[in-house]
Amino acid sequence: MVEAKGAPVDELLLDIHGLKTYFYTEEGVGLAVDGVDLQLRPGGTLGLAGESGCGKTMTALSILRLVQSPPGRVVGGKVLFGGRDLLELTEEEMRKIRGKEISMVFQEPMTALNPVLTIGEQISEMIQLHQGMDRRKAMVRVGEMLDLVRIPEARLRIREYPHQLSGGMRQRVMIAMALSCHPKLVIADEPTTALDVTTQAQILDLINRLKREMGVSIILITHNLGVIAEMTESVAIMYAGRVMEWIDGGEIFLRAKHPYTLGLLASFPKMEEDEDRLEAIQGTVPNIYKLLPGCKFSERCKYMSNRCGEEPPLIEVEEGHKIRCWLYTHEGVVY
Amino acid sequence: MKDNVLLRVESLHKHYPVHDRFLFRRPQLVYAVDGVSLEINRGETFGLVGESGCGKSTLGRLILCLEEFTSGKIIFDDKVITEHNKVKLRELRREMQIVFQDPYSSLNPRKTAGDIVVEPFIVHHLGDRKERQRQVERLLKVVGLLPEHASRYPHEFSGGQRQRIGIARALALNPKFIILDEPVASLDVSIQAQVINLLKDLQNQYNLTYLFISHDLGVIKRISNRMGVMYLGRIVELGDSRVLFRDPQHPYTKALLSAIPQLIQAKKKKRILLEGDVPSPINLPSGCRFHTRCHYFVEKCKTVDPILEEVSPSHWVACHLHQG
C-alpha cells in the first residue's frame, strides 16, 4: 500500500482502509462502497464528491456504523479513528462516539429535526446525554451554542419548533447540535444543497469560521464541486463505490486529471466564461447491483481502451494525488 | 405589439389571502407576484432567476392561466389571454406547455411512459389510435428515448430519463411556448448537462420559445438569452444574460452572483454576504424591498419604491443608485 505522504499514520485523525459496505437484497449484492481508502488530518477538511449513488453517503454512514442492516452490512476494511478501529467496537462503545466525538449534519434539516420538540429540547437532550449536565445547565449551554452559530434572539428561539424557522436557521440549529458536545469530527452530508445560494454562502462562511475557532475536522459530502473547491483542502472523487481520484492540498481542480473528474468539471457551470454547448458525460451512473468487471467508468469514458477491461488500481502519481485510471499508470508506481 | 414579441406581461399582480386563527379579522395578503412586466421574444429563452419564495413559479403558473391573477394583463401571440374563457383557454394550452421540476412526482406512477405522452392527444381529441401510436414513438425518439420505452413505468427510468418523458409530453402538441420550471434542479450535474443540451437542440429544431425558471444561476447562464432577477415578487433587474453576468447592476444580483461557489479559488472575487433571511412577503419592507439587506442603501430606499428603469439599452434595473 502507498501511504499518504506528509502525514504519518499516527498523526491522522481518521484513517480508512479498504472499507467495503455491501447490500444484500433480492436483486443480488449491491457493492455500495467497495474498497475505499481515505485519510483525514486533525483540523482538516476532506471533501467527498460524486453523483448520486456513488457511495459517498454510504461511506459516511459506514464510519458511524449507521448503515441500515439488513440489507446493508460493512463487510471489510478498517476505520481507524484516533487509532481505534470503529468497526471493532461494541454497540455500547459506538454510542458514546456518535454525537460526542463524531457528529453528523444532514442535508434536509426539516426531516432530521424532531418536529414535536422545541429547538432547546432537542439540543439539550444531547448535551444531557453525553456531558451528564442537568437540564438547566444544558439549556444555558444551548443558548451559548445558538449564539455561536449566529442565530438572532437565541433566547427566544430556544422555545420555538423547527417549523417556525427558515431553512437557513434550521441548518444553523443542526450545526449547533452537531457541535454541542465538542466533537473531533463532523460529517456534513450535503449541508447546503437544500438552501438558496445566498443562504448557502452564509452557512459555508459559518462552517469555515467554526472550523477555525473550534479546530474541528470536517468531512464534507456534496455533489457541488464549487463548494468542495471553497471548503476543503483534500477531495476524494467517488464513482460506483470507489475513489477514482484523490487530491490533497489547494487548487484541487486545477490539478484534476481523471477522465471522470474532468467530465464533472466540464459539466459544472463556469461563471467567467461564455459557453454555448456543454460537454456532457454520456450515459448514466451504473447500477451497483449490476457492475461489470473492469474500470467502472469505462462505459462512459471517451478514453476507453482494451486495458479498461481490467480494473485499474488507485495509484499515487505525484505527492498528494492519486488516480484510478490506466492513462496515468506510467507516471506513478505500478504495483 | 412588436412582431417578434410572443409573450407580454403587463404589471401582473397575484396576492394570496392568508387566514389566521382570528376568524373575523381581515385576511392578510401574501404579495407573491407584485407588479411584474416583461416581454419574451419569439425563439428566445428567457431565464427567470430568484431564490425560493420570490414568486418565480407563481409567475409561471399565472402565465399559463393555471392560477387566477389579481390584476394585470398577459398578451400571448397578440391575444389578451387574461380575458379568455375556459374553452379558449383549453385551446390555448395546446400552444403553451410546462415541464415541472420533479420528474418523480409530476409523472403518474400507474401509467406507462406511452400513456403519459399520449394523454395530450386524448385530452384534445387528436388523431386515431394508430396516429397516436406513431406520435408517441416519434416523441420518445425526439427526446432521446427508445420506442420500446413506451411500455415502461416511471419507476423503471432514471431521473434524467423521466425528465425526458416530461419534455416529450410537453412537446406532444407542437407548442410555441414552453415554461420550464426548475427542469434540471433534481438531476446530477452530468445529467443536467445532457438535458440542457437536449432542450437547446429541441428549441432550434422546433423554433420554441422558453421561459426557463431556476434558482441556479449557472444553469440560467447556460441556457438563457435574456434574463430577469426576481426578489420578493418583483423583477429587480432584467436584460441580456451575458451583460447581466458580466456587469450586474442591482445590489441583489451582485450578491447572488458573488455567492456562487467557484471552482478555481485563485479567480475568486470578494463575496458579498447578505445578512439575515428574505423578509416575509406578507409584511413587505417599505420603500425598496431589498433595502433591509442591501449594503449600499441610502435614506431614500426606506421610503421610495424604485421602479424598473432602463439604465443602458435593453438593461433594466430597479435601484435608486442607478437612477437620476
Side-chain angles (χ1 to χ4, degrees):
Chain A
M1 291 295 285
V2 180
E3 299 291 354
K5 281 181 194 157
V9 177
D10 51 80
E11 272 183 25
L12 292 171
L13 175 69
L14 186 72
D15 192 8
I16 300 175
H17 284 291
L19 181 68
K20 288 183 179 171
T21 304
Y22 292 175
F23 280 77
Y24 298 89
T25 68
E26 285 174 8
E27 260 188 271
V29 183
L31 315 181
V33 178
D34 201 18
V36 163
D37 296 348
L38 293 170
Q39 285 85 31
L40 179 61
R41 288 179 288 262
T45 305
L46 167 70
L48 293 186
E51 297 179 282
S52 31
C54 71
K56 52 195 194 300
T57 297
M58 272 311 144
T59 302
L61 293 178
S62 304
I63 295 170
L64 283 167
R65 287 186 28 198
L66 288 174
V67 178
Q68 195 185 11
S69 175
R73 208 182 330 144
V74 179
V75 294
K78 282 195 172 92
V79 178
L80 299 171
F81 176 71
R84 278 204 293 177
D85 187 355
L86 298 183
L87 301 179
E88 301 279 311
L89 299 184
T90 63
E91 187 49 39
E92 182 70 22
E93 290 169 314
M94 198 59 213
R95 220 174 298 149
K96 285 183 187 143
I97 293 209
R98 284 187 211 120
K100 190 171 183 206
E101 297 196 38
I102 307 178
S103 59
M104 195 145 174
V105 174
F106 295 93
Q107 170 174 353
E108 185 31 84
M110 199 57 213
T111 50
L113 292 170
N114 187 336
V116 297
L117 291 183
T118 61
I119 302 304
E121 284 165 342
Q122 317 210 18
I123 304 178
S124 74
E125 187 183 18
M126 206 161 104
I127 298 172
Q128 289 174 52
L129 190 73
H130 284 302
Q131 316 266 63
M133 283 187 195
D134 63 35
R135 199 185 134 82
R136 270 198 37 214
K137 272 192 193 146
M139 275 300 183
V140 173
R141 179 113 181 81
V142 172
E144 289 166 11
M145 291 311 296
L146 294 184
D147 281 337
L148 187 74
V149 296
R150 301 233 171 124
I151 290 185
E153 301 167 291
R155 300 294 174 282
L156 296 174
R157 298 293 187 186
I158 283 183
R159 270 175 255 129
E160 288 190 355
Y161 291 89
H163 75 267
Q164 291 171 291
L165 304 178
S166 68
M169 284 300 155
R170 273 183 222 135
Q171 202 53 289
R172 285 173 196 262
V173 169
M174 283 297 295
I175 293 168
M177 197 189 255
L179 293 175
S180 59
C181 297
H182 292 295
K184 293 193 184 100
L185 173 64
V186 173
I187 302 176
D189 188 0
E190 304 272 7
T192 60
T193 304
L195 304 175
D196 278 316
V197 60
T198 57
T199 317
Q200 165 170 288
Q202 292 172 348
I203 297 291
L204 295 182
D205 184 61
L206 174 74
I207 293 176
N208 262 337
R209 195 169 52 79
L210 293 176
K211 191 182 118 189
R212 272 199 311 275
E213 285 172 12
M214 304 180 72
V216 59
S217 308
I218 294 171
I219 295 181
L220 182 68
I221 302 172
T222 177
H223 69 282
N224 187 329
L225 298 180
V227 171
I228 293 273
E230 297 215 341
M231 300 290 290
T232 71
E233 56 262 22
S234 60
V235 63
I237 307 285
M238 290 186 69
Y239 191 81
R242 288 155 177 75
V243 175
M244 299 308 250
E245 184 161 19
W246 176 80
I247 313 171
D248 185 25
E251 290 297 4
I252 293 162
F253 294 120
L254 285 178
R255 293 157 59 205
K257 284 198 172 121
H258 192 286
Y260 178 58
T261 316
L262 296 179
L264 281 182
L265 290 172
S267 308
F268 190 86
K270 284 152 212 79
M271 284 302 139
E272 60 280 354
E273 297 156 32
D274 289 337
E275 21 169 23
D276 257 352
R277 201 172 171 81
L278 304 177
E279 213 181 300
I281 309 175
Q282 296 304 312
T284 49
V285 178
N287 182 338
I288 56 162
Y289 290 93
K290 292 171 190 148
L291 290 177
L292 300 169
C295 172
K296 304 305 173 230
F297 183 62
S298 61
E299 51 181 322
R300 303 174 74 189
C301 183
K302 316 193 252 200
Y303 306 104
M304 194 189 73
S305 66
N306 288 337
R307 192 104 200 249
C308 306
E310 191 192 334
E311 177 144 30
L314 188 65
I315 285 175
E316 184 151 15
V317 293
E318 56 179 335
E319 196 169 327
H321 193 176
K322 294 183 198 176
I323 300 178
R324 186 190 294 278
C325 180
W326 290 121
L327 289 176
Y328 298 100
T329 47
H330 59 282
E331 292 177 35
V333 201
V334 182
Y335 56 92
Chain B
M1 196 147 92
K2 278 176 281 171
D3 273 356
N4 62 339
V5 176
L6 178 68
L7 177 88
R8 186 147 124 211
V9 175
E10 288 177 13
S11 60
L12 196 65
H13 291 256
K14 172 69 190 177
H15 304 159
Y16 293 98
V18 273
H19 297 272
D20 53 21
R21 59 197 124 146
F22 301 104
L23 194 57
F24 300 107
R25 207 159 76 177
R26 240 180 96 218
Q28 289 180 297
L29 292 176
V30 177
Y31 298 91
V33 172
D34 197 29
V36 167
S37 303
L38 58 89
E39 280 179 355
I40 300 179
N41 299 324
R42 284 175 208 274
E44 79 169 350
T45 301
F46 186 91
L48 193 59
V49 70
E51 298 183 287
S52 28
C54 73
K56 55 190 191 304
S57 288
T58 307
L59 181 60
R61 296 174 60 84
L62 287 171
I63 291 172
L64 285 179
C65 302
L66 293 172
E67 197 95 44
E68 296 257 329
F69 64 103
T70 308
S71 68
K73 202 176 184 184
I74 302 166
I75 303 161
F76 177 77
D77 212 6
D78 294 320
K79 293 180 286 264
V80 184
I81 61 171
T82 31
E83 289 163 7
H84 274 15
N85 58 23
K86 267 196 180 151
V87 182
K88 274 183 148 176
L89 272 182
R90 177 175 274 226
E91 277 303 300
L92 179 76
R93 297 251 157 80
R94 290 173 61 172
E95 302 189 347
M96 300 173 124
Q97 287 290 328
I98 184 163
V99 176
F100 296 100
Q101 166 176 359
D102 188 356
Y104 293 82
S105 60
S106 60
L107 301 180
N108 186 337
R110 289 159 189 271
K111 289 192 168 174
T112 63
D115 292 341
I116 290 167
V117 177
V118 86
E119 204 167 0
F121 296 99
I122 298 171
V123 171
H124 291 274
H125 312 291
L126 298 171
D128 54 20
R129 222 184 129 89
K130 242 182 156 173
E131 165 65 13
R132 286 175 186 174
Q133 180 67 28
R134 219 173 48 79
Q135 286 290 346
V136 168
E137 282 181 16
R138 178 186 70 88
L139 287 162
L140 290 179
K141 234 160 84 192
V142 161
V143 297
L145 295 171
L146 301 169
E148 52 262 40
H149 284 144
S151 56
R152 293 201 200 159
Y153 289 90
H155 75 265
E156 295 174 75
F157 293 97
S158 67
Q161 286 174 318
R162 280 183 225 213
Q163 204 51 293
R164 286 171 195 264
I165 297 171
I167 294 168
R169 172 174 64 183
L171 285 175
L173 303 176
N174 286 321
K176 287 182 183 150
F177 178 64
I178 302 182
I179 294 184
L180 301 150
D181 190 357
E182 302 270 14
V184 297
S186 53
L187 306 177
D188 275 319
V189 275
S190 72
I191 310 299
Q192 268 190 5
Q194 292 173 6
V195 172
I196 289 175
N197 283 344
L198 171 70
L199 288 170
K200 283 187 166 180
D201 292 342
L202 292 172
Q203 181 168 40
N204 291 335
Q205 215 172 326
Y206 297 103
N207 192 27
L208 295 164
T209 306
Y210 291 149
L211 171 61
F212 196 104
I213 301 171
S214 180
H215 70 284
D216 188 335
L217 285 147
V219 171
I220 289 279
K221 177 173 178 285
R222 289 183 154 173
I223 198 159
S224 70
N225 309 107
R226 290 193 309 129
M227 63 184 279
V229 179
M230 267 186 99
Y231 186 77
L232 276 177
R234 279 276 173 83
I235 287 184
V236 295
E237 185 161 6
L238 189 152
D240 185 277
S241 302
R242 288 188 183 194
V243 176
L244 249 71
F245 275 96
R246 207 182 315 122
D247 187 24
Q249 294 297 320
H250 197 282
Y252 179 61
T253 316
K254 286 183 185 170
L256 266 186
L257 285 175
S258 82
I260 303 167
Q262 294 295 307
L263 283 182
I264 312 298
Q265 295 306 293
K267 287 192 196 164
K268 200 172 139 185
K269 295 190 189 109
K270 192 169 165 22
R271 173 157 294 162
I272 306 164
L273 266 190
L274 294 179
E275 293 283 321
D277 289 327
V278 180
S280 150
I282 299 176
N283 301 308
L284 287 176
S286 64
C288 171
R289 53 198 68 199
F290 185 61
H291 87 256
T292 53
R293 305 173 79 200
C294 185
H295 288 269
Y296 307 97
F297 96 97
V298 291
E299 269 318 290
K300 193 180 175 190
C301 306
K302 278 193 200 164
T303 48
V304 186
D305 195 1
I307 51 164
L308 208 53
E309 278 183 23
E310 199 165 9
V311 293
S312 59
S314 308
H315 188 173
W316 301 69
V317 180
C319 177
H320 293 308
L321 291 177
H322 299 281
Q323 291 164 8

